[in-house]
Every structure is written in structure tokens, then in C-alpha cells.
Amino acid sequence: MKTKKYYVSYQFQNRDNKSSFGFGSTELELTEDVRDYTDINAMRTYIEERLHADQNIDANVVILYWRPFEGQ
């Protein structure tokens, strides 16, 4: 199955400490095109899970920007 890579930038706020926040970006590899809010919400949930697993940050994430990489 062919995948498509996306660049995603986001802002996050720590749920436990509202004054703790930051920005980030990542590359996501998806099996289908991003078509609607449901897909964007799935990206948000995935990033929240990764922040928790990798950095032990319990965060609310807001997707700021996303786009597929060129030439796919």
C-alpha cells in the first residue's frame, strides 16, 4: 500500500501546567489523503499520544498547518 508523507506543525499546551506550552513540527506518513476534520483530528490525537509517550507531556495539541510533501 502506498503511503503519503505530510509535514505538520502544531502548538501544544501542558494540561497540568497551563503556562507551559510550545510549538513543534513533525512528518507523518499516512495511507490515505487528508480529506476532512476527522483526519486532522486523528493527526492531533496521534501527536498528543507521541508527546506523552516520548516526553511524558500530557498536552492539548492544535494543528496549525499541514501539507503533503511535493513529488509523491
Side-chain angles (χ1 to χ4, degrees):
M1 179 180 291
K2 186 172 174 155
T3 60
K4 194 168 202 174
K5 293 182 180 182
Y6 285 85
Y7 170 81
V8 182
S9 67
Y10 59 92
Q11 183 265 328
F12 66 91
Q13 182 180 38
N14 191 318
R15 289 184 178 128
D16 298 328
N17 179 359
K18 300 296 184 194
S19 64
S20 175
F21 63 93
F23 296 89
S25 62
T26 189
E27 177 183 299
L28 297 180
E29 194 166 343
L30 307 175
T31 56
E32 296 187 22
D33 291 339
V34 174
R35 293 181 216 154
D36 56 24
Y37 176 76
T38 302
D39 297 332
I40 295 170
N41 195 43
M43 283 193 266
R44 179 193 58 78
T45 300
Y46 176 81
I47 292 168
E48 286 177 350
E49 290 170 356
R50 293 310 322 155
L51 284 171
H52 185 70
D54 296 344
Q55 300 177 37
N56 200 29
I57 297 173
D58 188 20
N60 290 317
V61 169
V62 175
I63 302 293
L64 300 174
Y65 178 79
W66 60 270
R67 74 173 284 162
F69 284 102
E70 303 275 331
Q72 295 188 66

